[in-house]
Amino acid sequence: MKNVRGIVFDLYGTLYDVHSVAAPCDRYHPGRGREMSALWRQKQLEYTWLRSLMGAYVDFEQVTHDALVFASHHLKLPLDRAACSALCQEYLKIQPFPEVPAALARLQAMALPLAILSNGSVNSIRSVVAASQLEHHFAHLISADSAQIFKPHDSVYQLAEQQMQRHRSELLFVSSNAWDASGARHFGYPVCWVNRAGNTFDELGQSPDHVIQGLEQLADWIAS
Amino acid sequence: MKNVRGIVFDLYGTLYDVHSVAAPCDRYHPGRGREMSALWRQKQLEYTWLRSLMGAYVDFEQVTHDALVFASHHLKLPLDRAACSALCQEYLKIQPFPEVPAALARLQAMALPLAILSNGSVNSIRSVVAASQLEHHFAHLISADSAQIFKPHDSVYQLAEQQMQRHRSELLFVSSNAWDASGARHFGYPVCWVNRAGNTFDELGQSPDHVIQGLEQLADWIAS
């Protein structure tokens, strides 16, 4: 077994599918849900990076709201206040990827403490994890809100090291977001990139230590 | 005339058309140039933000190279070392938007010191401005390289205030990039957003002080 004393998971796009919101978007604008969801996510990411760099932090729920407002304006898809609020609520109940519940159970059975380290607010993380009834798997739910800045800033990655009381070299960081995997590795975590969709890893001067196609492969690799 | 004692221009996408590289891309991969150029630009922006946030600054020419490598991998369009190098060179001779030369001449005739404040390296800015023979219009060419971080970080916006020896409130910041206009305004510059393409302004808690469709409208507005 590898020198892994705990696992730190990214949430959005790694354990949970952000495009769960495409179906509810489609109910408001039939045939346009996928496109809305894609632009919404892209802008949500951009706004976390830009606000962090500007020194103008607001929490993830506000960023998610702002990104949806931009997406609906840009796509010229009207969204009244009630619809906007309803869609933002959908972000609090996005679904885990199909293999995630069984994979978490297997990892937990290996007596490894599991954590989530997410840009989401405390409320966002708790809501998503509770809605999918997976909260019993996690020893720590850690929000970037404590650092008042978003990933990939070092002070966010540091939160997991502090709360799990392990040196970064003993914690495995798991993310599907190549930029997040790069940031975590630059900070000093060994990194596993979950590449479900055959994506291209980002050119940010880092490479993942290991690549898997889905979370079911994680326990095998750690035990090998 | 407004209280404008100098004008600070963004370069990429504001004075100069980043999609000038679509035609050379098209020579390597016929019919795919526009798509290559769009992804190249998107990743170039993302990498400036992500590297700034990671504390892993490299200069703009390196970021431009890395973004092109990503784009060609992701689009499965092979690009050997010579082609990659040739396309990066094209970024040093992108073209000004058609109305820019006459508009700069008119602003200069108003005895307003003009500056460029760009994420580009010193070499990138000088090369682009020299290739288009517009260098005589500018009193200052200011590179983010001096701050070793990229816009929209405050320490980049501060460079123009320092070098032009004017308070931020006396300088007009002009950008087509809504995220850049937002960052500059958050720092404290009055901001003019050049919206040539009917884009949507970003939801970053800022609004431009003035919006124009092209640079020819700038002198009229300042004089009004």
Side-chain angles (χ1 to χ4, degrees), chain A residues 21-78:
Chain A
V21 298
C25 284
D26 216 68
R27 285 202 289 276
Y28 288 98
H29 294 291
R32 306 292 296 276
R34 215 49 228 177
E35 184 187 7
M36 265 184 88
S37 167
L39 184 58
W40 186 3
R41 171 63 172 168
Q42 174 64 30
K43 282 288 157 177
Q44 181 194 53
L45 289 174
E46 290 186 8
Y47 290 177
T48 57
W49 305 329
L50 289 164
R51 281 193 169 271
S52 294
L53 214 46
M54 286 164 67
Y57 179 85
V58 293
D59 79 14
F60 192 74
E61 287 173 68
Q62 181 68 49
V63 166
T64 299
H65 168 272
D66 295 346
L68 176 59
V69 169
F70 175 93
S72 61
H73 284 176
H74 189 75
L75 297 173
K76 300 188 176 26
L77 298 173

Side-chain angles (χ1 to χ4, degrees), chain A residues 42-223:
Chain A
Q42 174 64 30
K43 282 288 157 177
Q44 181 194 53
L45 289 174
E46 290 186 8
Y47 290 177
T48 57
W49 305 329
L50 289 164
R51 281 193 169 271
S52 294
L53 214 46
M54 286 164 67
Y57 179 85
V58 293
D59 79 14
F60 192 74
E61 287 173 68
Q62 181 68 49
V63 166
T64 299
H65 168 272
D66 295 346
L68 176 59
V69 169
F70 175 93
S72 61
H73 284 176
H74 189 75
L75 297 173
K76 300 188 176 26
L77 298 173
L79 209 63
D80 63 24
R81 192 172 294 194
C84 183
S85 170
L87 284 178
C88 286
Q89 288 295 314
E90 292 290 337
Y91 237 95
L92 302 179
K93 24 183 186 170
I94 55 173
Q95 297 298 308
F97 287 100
E99 85 281 13
V100 165
L104 291 177
R106 228 186 119 196
L107 291 164
Q108 205 183 4
M110 294 167 78
L112 286 169
L114 309 181
I116 288 177
L117 175 65
S118 168
N119 274 343
S121 65
V122 174
N123 177 58
S124 294
I125 302 173
R126 283 194 189 147
S127 300
V128 168
V129 172
S132 58
Q133 299 179 299
L134 294 176
E135 62 267 68
H136 58 287
H137 292 303
F138 297 103
H140 307 272
L141 300 177
I142 309 166
S143 164
D145 210 49
S146 305
Q148 295 281 294
I149 195 165
F150 292 109
K151 293 190 274 184
H153 194 274
D154 276 357
S155 59
V156 183
Y157 294 116
Q158 198 164 34
L159 295 172
E161 190 182 48
Q162 284 165 348
Q163 291 206 30
M164 296 179 81
Q165 299 186 296
R166 292 285 178 199
H167 187 263
R168 58 194 80 175
S169 62
E170 301 174 310
L171 296 171
L172 180 68
F173 190 88
V174 180
S175 183
S176 293
N177 294 293
W179 60 269
D180 184 27
S182 297
R185 199 166 187 287
H186 178 262
F187 175 74
Y189 289 120
V191 161
C192 176
W193 182 41
V194 188
N195 186 17
R196 290 187 183 86
N199 285 329
T200 307
F201 201 76
D202 276 309
E203 295 285 331
L204 289 163
Q206 300 290 331
S207 301
D209 298 281
H210 190 63
V211 182
I212 56 178
Q213 281 71 52
L215 234 57
E216 67 276 16
Q217 297 169 10
L218 190 56
D220 289 336
W221 177 65
I222 290 172

Side-chain angles (χ1 to χ4, degrees), chain A residues 42-43 47 200 202-203, chain B residues 42-43 47 74 200 202-203:
Chain A
Q42 174 64 30
K43 282 288 157 177
Y47 290 177
T200 307
D202 276 309
E203 295 285 331
Chain B
Q42 175 64 31
K43 282 288 157 177
Y47 290 177
H74 189 74
T200 308
D202 276 309
E203 296 286 330

